[in-house]
């Protein structure tokens, strides 16, 4: 099948052409009864699609991967990874396909990628499918993250396929079309490095530099500069997660991007009451990926990235280790400075407030929030509105003395986040055929800093009986 002529979509295949060793030509499985559940029209337009064309049969064919432009070369990407600390030499896209690259309105290259498009040679025991609920979940949370200004892959559409996925019960299958500045991960580098192919590794690193960090090509040591760039991007990213109370849930090295975008919204969730030990994922029994562990896990993952790059950093292994170690030591100060800058904005502190003062105020606040088990998100909005609970009075007196900009606080502290009980409510209705709660929640999450009349309930923490046993699931 070929694409209808009323669109000018050109799917490039730079990744497949430059890195054939980790790009496996593959086709999406047929979708017997495709039904478009949600389409991101704004993103579609940014990518040069005509949204009404995408809603038609040829467009939907593209969104499930069964009707591609004649010269498209869909591939399953190979990668390895450390999952919960354990090395897995071959993971790869078991149920996903890179359809190709698109140039967006700004001329930036973006991957168009499918999840749930059928088994590939990387599927191992998996069925290659994804269910409607988890794909709508990724759509909702990734779009919420984008609206919060946090680097992330985007969601273009979810199409129900008419296939049935056997899980604990039978579920309706779906394909998510997502868009990323690339799908290169730490695990991509680990896969190639483990194969011992230095030439392929260099090509992969050059490809990553070309796509994400072109300035690194000009550095004395471009591969060390690549490492530094990824460290900086991840330090910034994880600080943004921490500032909004986001818990990724499965920070395996195959789920950490080179671009610094958040990827793979499986068991992720937002924290309600502030507690660094918060974990929602059903499989994270040891709390490895708990809220408060995320900065140190990121450092651990980046150390795995650095190891993969050693052969490129310097021919002398000891020298390479020395250089990489110095680079990794930059994560902590970069993370702390991004966190503090974010906290200063959340608290409305102006430039005249010294870092030491702001830092002390933040540390004391975090201690109070934890001790009082306060709802993290609404605390800052209420603070801007002058609503202060008794245990915070003394702290608030110090804060007020710094003349905080409360209007500025309202521009950076969200009213709406994808609260677990709201996401569950929307997904339960959607899987029963009612997309209305999903759509309503999506509207609120798409402009998270503006209060919407009639959506007050969406700004409130979960009812008392909800949070305690809430769990999220992986790979569903
Ligand atoms: P994730 O937890 O989604 O990052 O996935 C980890 C690995 O498992 C990746 O290699 C996925 O492609 C693979 N995987 C997850 N679910 C499935 C499935 N239903 N069928 C095939 N592969 C899967
Ligand atoms: Mg993954």
């Amino acid at each position: 099948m070929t694409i209808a002529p009323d669109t000018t979509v050109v799917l490039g295949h730079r990744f497949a052409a430059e890195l054939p060793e980790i790009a496996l030509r593959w086709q999406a499985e047929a979708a017997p009864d495709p039904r478009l559940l949600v389409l991101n029209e704004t993103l579609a337009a940014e990518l040069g699609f005509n949204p009404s064309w995408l809603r038609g049969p040829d467009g939907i064919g593209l969104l499930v991967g069964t009707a591609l432009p004649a010269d498209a070369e869909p591939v399953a990407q190979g990668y390895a990874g450390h999952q919960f600390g354990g090395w897995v030499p071959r993971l790869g896209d078991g149920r996903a396909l890179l359809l190709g690259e698109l140039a967006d309105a700004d001329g930036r290259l973006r991957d168009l990628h499918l999840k749930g498009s059928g088994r590939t040679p990387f599927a191992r025991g998996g069925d290659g499918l994804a269910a409607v609920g988890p794909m709508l979940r990724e759509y909702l949370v990734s779009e919420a993250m984008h609206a919060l200004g946090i680097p992330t892959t985007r969601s273009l559409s979810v199409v129900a396929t008419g296939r049935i996925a056997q899980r604990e019960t039978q579920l309706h299958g779906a394909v998510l079309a997502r868009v990323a500045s690339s799908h290169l991960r730490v695990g991509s580098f680990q896969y190639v490095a483990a194969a011992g192919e230095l030439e392929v590794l260099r090509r992969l690193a050059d490809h990553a530099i070309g796509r994400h960090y072109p300035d690194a090509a000009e550095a004395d040591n471009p591969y060390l500069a690549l490492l530094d760039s990824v460290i900086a991007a991840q330090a910034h990213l994880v600080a943004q997660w921490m500032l909004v109370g986001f818990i990724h849930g499965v920070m395996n090295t195959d789920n950490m991007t080179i671009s610094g975008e958040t990827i793979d919204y499986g068991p992720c969730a937002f924290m309600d009451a502030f507690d660094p030990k918060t974990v929602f994922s059903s499989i994270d029994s040891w709390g490895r990926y708990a809220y408060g562990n995320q900065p140190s896990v990121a450092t651990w993952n980046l150390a795995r990235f650095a190891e993969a790059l050693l052969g490129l950093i310097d021919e002398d292994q000891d020298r390479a280790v020395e250089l990489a170690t110095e680079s990794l030591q930059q994560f902590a100060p970069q993370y702390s400075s991004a966190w503090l800058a974010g906290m200063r904005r959340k608290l409305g502190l102006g430039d005249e407030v010294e870092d030491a003062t702001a830092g002390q105020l933040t540390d004391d606040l975090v201690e109070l929030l934890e001790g009082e088990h306060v709802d993290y998100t609404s605390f800052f909005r209420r603070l801007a509105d002058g609503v202060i609970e008794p245990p915070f009075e003394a702290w608030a007196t110090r804060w007020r003395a710094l003349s905080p900009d409360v209007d500025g606080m309202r521009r950076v502290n969200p009213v709406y986040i994808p609260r677990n009980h709201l996401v569950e409510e929307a997904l339960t209705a959607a899987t029963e055929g009612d997309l209305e709660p999903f759509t309503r929640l999506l509207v609120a999450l798409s402009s998270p800093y503006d209060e919407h009349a009639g959506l007050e309930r969406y700004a409130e923490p979960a009812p008392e009986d909800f949070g305690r046993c809430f769990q999220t699931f992986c790979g569903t």
Side-chain angles (χ1 to χ4, degrees):
M1 262 189 282
T2 51
I3 220 157
D6 68 333
T7 180
T8 53
V9 175
V10 177
L11 277 172
H13 19 78
R14 179 168 166 189
F15 176 83
E18 291 183 13
L19 292 153
E21 294 83 355
I22 54 170
L24 216 127
R25 283 292 301 268
W26 203 253
Q27 299 292 325
E29 221 169 72
D33 182 20
R35 262 184 322 115
L36 182 65
L37 299 181
V38 50
L39 176 68
N40 191 334
E41 298 214 347
T42 318
L43 179 60
E46 240 176 72
L47 296 170
F49 288 111
N50 173 350
S52 40
W53 178 83
L54 272 182
R55 289 184 180 282
D58 291 336
I60 292 177
L62 173 72
L63 296 175
V64 293
T66 54
L68 301 179
D71 63 348
E73 278 186 28
V75 295
Q77 291 181 306
Y79 51 86
H82 278 89
Q83 297 192 309
F84 289 89
W87 170 243
V88 186
R90 187 181 151 97
L91 285 165
D93 288 337
R95 54 165 174 175
L97 286 179
L98 172 65
L99 294 184
E101 301 106 12
L102 295 159
D104 68 14
D106 300 328
R108 283 194 311 151
L109 220 51
R110 314 271 291 267
D111 277 6
L112 180 59
H113 180 97
L114 305 181
K115 192 160 162 181
S117 50
R119 296 193 81 228
T120 78
F122 294 109
R124 297 170 292 158
D127 60 5
L129 303 180
V132 166
M135 294 307 98
L136 287 176
R137 191 165 203 282
E138 170 151 349
Y139 189 108
L140 201 59
V141 185
S142 63
E143 287 308 300
M145 292 288 271
H146 173 72
L148 288 165
I150 299 174
T152 177
T153 61
R154 303 287 308 276
S155 293
L156 179 61
S157 61
V158 177
V159 179
T161 56
R163 281 193 297 258
I164 295 294
Q166 184 63 48
R167 297 290 181 266
E168 274 169 24
T169 56
Q170 292 198 328
L171 300 174
H172 290 287
V175 172
L176 168 81
R178 76 176 174 198
V179 174
S181 61
S182 90
H183 284 77
L184 301 174
R185 320 133 191 268
V186 169
S188 318
F189 284 79
Q190 291 182 292
Y191 190 59
V192 173
E197 302 276 355
L198 199 60
E199 186 274 323
V200 185
L201 186 65
R202 180 168 288 115
R203 218 178 328 114
L204 174 61
D206 289 339
H207 178 89
I209 289 171
R211 285 193 71 169
H212 303 299
Y213 306 106
D215 290 350
E218 310 304 323
D220 289 342
N221 186 333
Y223 305 113
L224 189 62
L226 170 64
L227 174 62
D228 289 334
S229 306
V230 177
I231 290 170
Q234 287 292 340
H236 175 264
L237 177 67
V238 176
Q240 305 313 304
W241 290 356
M242 299 300 282
L243 287 161
V244 296
F246 175 78
I247 304 166
H248 183 282
V250 60
M251 285 178 75
N252 295 332
T253 55
D254 52 305
N255 290 336
M256 181 182 259
T257 59
I258 299 307
S259 65
E261 289 177 344
T262 313
I263 196 170
D264 268 11
Y265 293 84
C268 67
F270 279 70
M271 173 177 71
D272 287 302
F274 187 87
D275 182 354
K277 294 183 293 302
T278 310
V279 172
F280 292 108
S281 170
S282 62
I283 58 168
D284 192 1
S285 5
W286 299 100
R288 178 181 173 92
Y289 299 141
Y291 171 77
N293 284 356
Q294 297 185 117
S296 52
V297 170
T299 320
W300 192 88
N301 288 350
L302 290 163
R304 306 289 80 75
F305 180 51
E307 279 165 7
L309 288 177
L310 285 179
L312 298 178
I313 290 175
D314 202 289
E315 280 175 19
D316 173 352
Q317 171 93 359
D318 292 340
R319 180 70 187 140
V321 170
E322 200 181 309
L323 290 169
T325 307
E326 267 171 38
S327 292
L328 288 165
Q329 281 162 353
Q330 293 311 304
F331 181 90
Q334 288 176 355
Y335 168 79
S336 299
S337 113
W339 160 266
L340 184 59
M343 268 297 174
R344 294 180 68 107
R345 288 191 298 274
K346 284 176 84 65
L347 294 172
L349 304 180
D351 293 343
E352 69 288 353
V353 178
E354 304 261 344
D355 262 346
T357 311
Q360 192 58 57
L361 196 72
T362 299
D363 291 350
D364 295 344
L365 175 61
V366 165
E367 204 172 296
L368 273 170
L369 287 169
E370 187 178 352
E372 299 299 320
H373 250 68
V374 172
D375 180 71
Y376 178 68
T377 303
S378 57
F379 173 83
F380 293 92
R381 287 298 286 209
R382 289 160 62 87
L383 187 64
D385 293 341
V387 183
I388 289 144
E389 305 297 336
F392 291 84
E393 274 300 345
W395 178 89
T397 304
R398 287 161 57 202
W399 169 71
R400 263 192 232 98
L402 301 171
S403 311
D405 168 11
V406 293
D407 290 328
M409 287 171 72
R410 292 192 188 92
R411 288 192 293 273
V412 298
N413 288 298
V415 188
Y416 307 111
I417 52 160
R419 290 183 181 275
N420 301 319
H421 66 294
L422 299 173
V423 174
E424 288 306 298
E425 177 187 280
L427 297 187
T428 303
T431 48
E432 287 163 2
D434 177 13
L435 278 161
E436 155 68 29
F438 174 89
T439 311
R440 207 166 347 116
L441 182 55
L442 184 60
V443 168
L445 296 175
S446 300
S447 55
Y449 303 108
D450 308 327
E451 285 174 36
H452 296 254
L455 294 185
E456 291 74 14
R457 190 175 74 88
Y458 284 15
E460 280 163 24
E464 269 296 304
D465 56 347
F466 179 85
R468 269 186 277 283
C469 51
F470 178 70
Q471 282 201 321
T472 55
F473 300 89
C474 208
T476 34

